[in-house]
Amino acid sequence: MPAPVPTDIIRFTNGYIALADGTAVKADLFVSPTLGKIVSGQETFFSARLQPARTIDLDGGLLAPGLIDVQINGAYGVDFSELDIAPGGEDVYLAGLDKVAERIVETGTTSFVPTIITQKEELYAKLLRLLSPRSSPNAAHSLGYHAEGPFLHPERRGAHNNALLLTASTMPPIEAFDKVYGAEGLDQPGVKMITAAPDVEGVMACVENLTSRGVTFSIGHSDADLEQAQQAVDRGARMITHLFNAMPPIHHRDPGVIGLLGDTTRRPYFGIIVDGLHSHPNTIRIAYGAAPDRCILVTDAQWIMDPNLADGVHHWRPGFAFRKEGLRVVIDGTNTLAGSAIPFAECVQNLSKWAGITLPQALVCATAHPAAMLGPHVAEHKGRLEEGFDADMCVFDWDGRVRSTWVMGKEVFRAADVCDGDILRPRNQVNGKA
Amino acid sequence: MRLTIRDTKEQVGSYIADYIVKRINDFVPREGHPNFVLGLPTGSSPLPVYKRLVEAHKAGKVSFKDVVSFNMDEYVGIARDHPESYHTFMFKNFFSLIDINPKNTNILDGEAEDLYAECHNYEAKIKAVGGIDLFLGGIGADGHIAFNEPGSSLQSRTRIKTLAYETIIDNARFFNNDLASVPRMALTVGVATVMDAKEVVLIVTGQNKALALSQMIEGSVNHMVTASALQTHKWALVVCDEDATSELRVKTVKYFKSIEKVQDEVEAKYGAMGKDKLGQGRITAA
């Protein structure tokens, strides 16, 4: 039985389609808002005998899969790690999650994995349950959870609270994981990503068990040497959390976790924060050059991420203020970075610039790569503009700025400087340039 | 038959596209024939024509809303959405880029349960819309038209056809150079189906079509060069590029070039009168 043929087809034309191999082709794309999927325009034409109900003119722009951020701690004043255990706290938490999902689409993001930094042990069970996959209308998808900690190396803890870090010193060690995250948390549906240090006692022994339960294991906040990192990959680790940050710097005789970049057989993905502050642009170029097919862009954004927020001092809560200077956000009165504040689309622009690659090549690192890293349950639906995939898309201009964002075939954001109507053209153009 | 020669294949495409645009815009619906009916080919030769037609449509010079189309042929044994199917070709290069009503497009269904019935119905459908006004076509290197390979009956109708071994080898490049996956069968309109069209326009471009062009124009009517049947068609136009004239005699080329020149003069002098006298709605010196 052939699938029912949708009748509400939207056709995207007069632009380029960003493909998963890093190229872009001049072609049309057809989506169905009722199915929320990318469909075959040809099949609708010849079977349902229908012309598209609506045509969107891309005005030469680049239609790409919506961006997938696998490491985001919060945004728009919402901190994913913060849960008030008093009654009503869970509703507040979910409302915050929905707020981010609704607004984050302006950065080109259509899927994200809310990331929680090391918490008090008793909070995990609640937090992870709240972070089941969640999709509300006109908003980005929340795919699951990314638990960064608590099994981190104290020497490489970064901003994590030393007092809350744990080791898996139970017998068997997996009991420590089951205890912290809750067996339900480890076995719930959706994305379950854990950043842990394989060099912390007991963690290495748990990698196989975790990955067999559908957990995506990422090496991070780790003091591991190369051999330990290799062993973790052999046991199923799929990623390195924010490469270069919270790990020993590379030494030519003892390359550590970063040394995995030079491994020909073990090829984990690596997340990287391309804001020019967490890593030098030249470092980005080295990392991308070493393993371009494994590079994953992450924002590591904190609650302060909000592209509409003006520079200056902002008060967060009593006795605590931060100073924003562009993408650099510090605790007021200090030089301590308060976290990343880069909108996702700018990471793509930066990677393109600094690694000397095309925009479609950079986009793959924020679309097909994160989807593939998370595994088939994501990669079979998201991260590529192919028939049958979710119609989560973003229209960019060739400088990498977001013109319009679509989730499940519905437009959820249009940039203020882009015309209304069905032509996605900047309002003020001079010689074809915005 | 008229032969119009242009310098390049792009110019050939533009010439033919402009010609078709004019035909569509001049068309007057009448009893039993409410739509302009266009026969369409696939392959690399017609691409410049489609490109130019799409441009004309985008520029608002022509609408295909009321045009009915019939394609020449389709493979048997590959899915409709196969990248090499003629359905895919037509959708990608033409139908998806214009405003034609999908209900008005007709392509033989190579996946039909009953292929005989499919062919029979196709002829009936052409009849039902009042016949084809303009059949656009190309020719193969062996002078075939549609999939009417050398040796096809010049009286043939829409039917199942075995592809010539030469065609299969030639097509292998589109199927990962795997001979086994190249379709061996196709559905195609017959030579007589093409000959029934009120007007036939052929695109012949490239050096590799030169011999076929000379055979179809300078040779005799012969089932080994099925396009030669057009010599007996009362309203056939061949548009070729300079490359394709390589095997023609200089005399032939000069003759047809002079026709074009005289045609211009006749048109300038007699205008509408010549049109009426010829009863073909146009002036011709052929």
Side-chain angles (χ1 to χ4, degrees):
Chain A
M1 243 341 245
V5 181
T7 58
D8 58 341
I9 303 300
I10 301 176
R11 163 187 176 225
F12 292 84
T13 191
N14 194 27
Y16 296 82
I17 312 283
L19 300 181
D21 64 358
T23 61
V25 291
K26 202 160 176 72
D28 287 359
L29 191 84
F30 298 82
V31 307
S32 160
T34 42
L35 297 180
K37 300 276 182 195
I38 296 166
V39 298
S40 161
Q42 186 178 332
E43 200 45 38
T44 340
F45 186 93
F46 289 120
S47 290
R49 300 266 160 191
L50 284 170
Q51 278 283 23
R54 191 176 166 204
T55 295
I56 303 289
D57 186 330
L58 297 168
D59 192 43
L62 180 65
L63 182 62
L67 310 186
I68 303 171
D69 192 353
V70 299
Q71 190 167 14
I72 171 170
N73 300 280
Y76 303 102
V78 175
D79 186 344
F80 295 140
S81 298
E82 217 172 67
L83 172 65
D84 189 347
I85 48 166
E90 298 196 354
D91 293 337
V92 173
Y93 185 88
L94 290 177
L97 187 60
D98 288 345
K99 179 185 174 185
V100 174
E102 273 163 37
R103 296 191 57 185
I104 198 87
V105 292
E106 69 176 324
T107 70
T109 308
T110 56
S111 296
F112 62 100
V113 185
T115 305
I116 47 181
I117 61 165
T118 302
Q119 290 305 305
K120 288 197 206 88
E121 220 181 308
E122 56 270 26
L123 268 183
Y124 277 100
K126 283 202 178 82
L127 275 171
L128 302 193
R129 185 169 43 78
L130 290 171
L131 290 176
S132 295
R134 189 173 171 87
S135 300
S136 42
N138 305 319
H141 307 278
S142 172
L143 297 179
Y145 68 79
H146 179 175
E148 197 182 356
F151 298 98
L152 307 180
H153 197 285
E155 290 289 306
R156 302 290 169 189
R157 68 178 185 278
H160 292 246
N161 185 342
N162 199 14
L164 300 178
L165 298 184
L166 296 176
T167 59
S169 46
T170 50
M171 226 33 217
I174 193 67
E175 270 178 19
F177 278 82
D178 279 323
K179 183 161 169 282
V180 172
Y181 302 116
E184 298 80 18
L186 292 177
D187 294 322
Q188 74 185 40
V191 169
K192 300 164 288 186
M193 204 173 152
I194 292 178
T195 289
D199 47 327
V200 161
E201 184 188 353
V203 171
M204 187 74 84
C206 300
V207 178
E208 274 160 319
N209 178 297
L210 291 170
T211 52
S212 72
R213 292 158 80 175
V215 171
T216 306
F217 189 97
S218 187
I219 305 167
H221 290 275
S222 164
D223 208 35
D225 58 23
L226 178 61
E227 287 67 29
Q228 287 171 309
Q230 285 173 326
Q231 202 189 340
V233 174
D234 289 341
R235 287 170 181 245
R238 293 184 58 78
M239 179 157 149
I240 306 168
T241 296
H242 45 53
L243 187 75
F244 299 120
N245 299 115
M247 60 188 63
I250 187 164
H251 185 283
H252 55 290
R253 274 192 287 272
D254 177 18
V257 176
I258 301 167
L260 283 173
L261 276 190
D263 207 303
T264 51
T265 49
R266 300 170 188 87
R267 314 215 55 232
Y269 288 93
F270 61 90
I272 195 157
I273 310 164
V274 189
D275 63 353
L277 300 168
H278 284 77
S279 289
H280 191 276
N282 293 12
T283 313
I284 304 290
R285 187 178 167 91
I286 291 171
Y288 180 85
D293 56 333
R294 288 295 183 266
C295 179
I296 290 179
L297 291 171
V298 296
T299 60
D300 202 17
Q302 311 291 334
W303 44 269
I304 43 181
M305 201 294 291
D306 179 353
N308 310 299
L309 210 57
D311 281 3
V313 176
H314 296 270
H315 291 274
W316 166 235
R317 58 172 67 108
F320 188 57
F322 63 86
R323 196 171 72 250
K324 182 173 188 286
E325 302 153 347
L327 293 179
R328 187 179 145 84
V329 183
V330 295
I331 296 164
D332 192 32
T334 74
N335 274 324
T336 309
L337 281 176
S340 159
I342 187 164
F344 209 178
E346 290 186 32
C347 294
V348 178
Q349 297 162 21
N350 288 342
L351 181 67
S352 166
K353 228 178 298 169
W354 296 339
I357 55 175
T358 64
L359 189 60
Q361 283 176 310
L363 279 165
V364 174
C365 300
T367 55
H369 288 177
M373 185 276 294
L374 291 172
H377 65 292
V378 175
E380 283 166 8
H381 305 283
K382 296 188 188 298
R384 291 163 184 261
L385 296 183
E386 287 170 16
E387 253 167 64
F389 276 61
D390 291 345
D392 296 344
M393 305 165 296
C394 190
V395 182
F396 292 92
D397 68 16
W398 283 90
D399 293 323
R401 283 178 305 224
V402 177
R403 279 186 185 168
S404 168
T405 306
W406 299 66
V407 174
M408 302 308 267
K410 295 191 182 76
E411 188 172 19
V412 293
F413 169 76
R414 187 174 295 197
D417 59 352
V418 172
C419 296
D420 302 327
D422 287 347
I423 303 180
L424 297 176
R425 177 178 292 157
R427 288 178 196 276
N428 304 305
Q429 282 196 111
V430 180
N431 294 333
K433 284 288 225 182
Chain B
M1 185 189 291
R2 274 204 297 157
L3 176 71
T4 296
I5 302 160
R6 287 291 173 270
D7 286 348
T8 65
K9 62 174 193 271
E10 286 76 23
Q11 286 170 12
V12 170
S14 297
Y15 181 87
I16 295 177
D18 294 350
Y19 190 92
I20 293 172
V21 166
K22 191 169 177 322
R23 283 278 176 278
I24 293 172
N25 288 335
D26 288 350
F27 177 77
V28 182
R30 57 181 188 276
E31 185 77 34
H33 194 116
N35 301 90
F36 187 82
V37 185
L38 190 57
L40 295 172
T42 49
S44 53
S45 306
L47 279 176
V49 179
Y50 289 135
K51 191 163 170 256
R52 177 79 169 199
L53 283 173
V54 169
E55 280 168 15
H57 166 67
K58 286 205 169 127
K61 288 180 191 152
V62 64
S63 168
F64 295 87
K65 268 202 168 67
D66 296 319
V67 171
V68 171
S69 76
F70 284 89
N71 265 80
M72 286 188 149
D73 40 20
E74 176 59 288
Y75 291 114
V76 173
I78 60 172
R80 195 158 68 176
D81 58 359
H82 188 284
E84 293 304 329
S85 83
Y86 290 166
H87 278 83
T88 302
F89 179 97
M90 289 311 295
F91 182 77
K92 211 169 73 184
N93 294 301
F94 196 41
F95 292 157
S96 70
L97 307 172
I98 56 170
D99 62 344
I100 197 164
N101 183 343
K103 295 186 178 77
N104 287 345
T105 64
N106 299 280
I107 305 182
L108 284 155
D109 180 4
E111 294 180 287
E113 194 59 39
D114 183 346
L115 295 176
Y116 282 104
E118 175 68 16
C119 295
H120 181 79
N121 294 341
Y122 205 64
E123 290 277 341
K125 270 196 270 182
I126 294 174
K127 236 182 213 132
V129 294
I132 290 170
D133 290 292
L134 189 153
F135 218 131
L136 180 66
I139 62 170
D142 55 8
H144 71 246
I145 183 160
F147 267 133
N148 296 290
E149 304 277 24
S152 294
S153 162
L154 300 185
Q155 294 296 321
S156 55
R157 290 278 158 193
T158 305
R159 67 206 186 290
I160 305 167
K161 196 80 185 89
T162 314
L163 301 190
Y165 186 58
E166 199 183 339
T167 310
I168 293 172
I169 290 175
D170 193 39
N171 282 347
R173 65 202 152 113
F174 300 123
F175 295 87
N176 293 326
N177 290 316
D178 174 16
L179 268 189
S181 63
V182 184
R184 270 130 213 280
M185 234 197 317
L187 302 184
T188 178
V189 297
V191 178
T193 319
V194 177
M195 293 294 285
D196 275 355
K198 211 168 114 195
E199 183 174 11
V200 180
V201 177
L202 286 194
I203 315 152
V204 185
T205 52
Q207 168 84 47
N208 63 329
K209 302 288 170 71
L211 196 60
L213 183 66
S214 82
Q215 285 171 343
M216 78 161 277
I217 290 184
E218 296 175 337
S220 52
V221 174
N222 186 330
H223 69 171
M224 294 312 286
V225 183
T226 48
S228 67
L230 288 172
Q231 290 177 20
T232 66
H233 194 279
K234 65 179 174 184
W235 195 357
L237 167 66
V238 178
V239 187
C240 69
D241 61 0
E242 285 289 347
D243 283 356
T245 64
S246 310
E247 298 283 349
L248 289 176
R249 282 190 290 247
V250 173
K251 188 170 83 171
T252 312
V253 171
K254 278 185 174 164
Y255 168 68
F256 281 112
K257 279 190 169 167
S258 74
I259 285 184
E260 204 182 332
K261 209 167 143 225
V262 170
Q263 162 98 23
D264 291 344
E265 286 170 18
V266 170
E267 221 170 285
K269 193 167 175 191
Y270 296 102
M273 202 174 84
K275 189 172 159 180
D276 290 344
K277 272 193 176 162
L278 284 158
Q280 293 179 321
R282 64 173 197 136
I283 313 153
T284 177

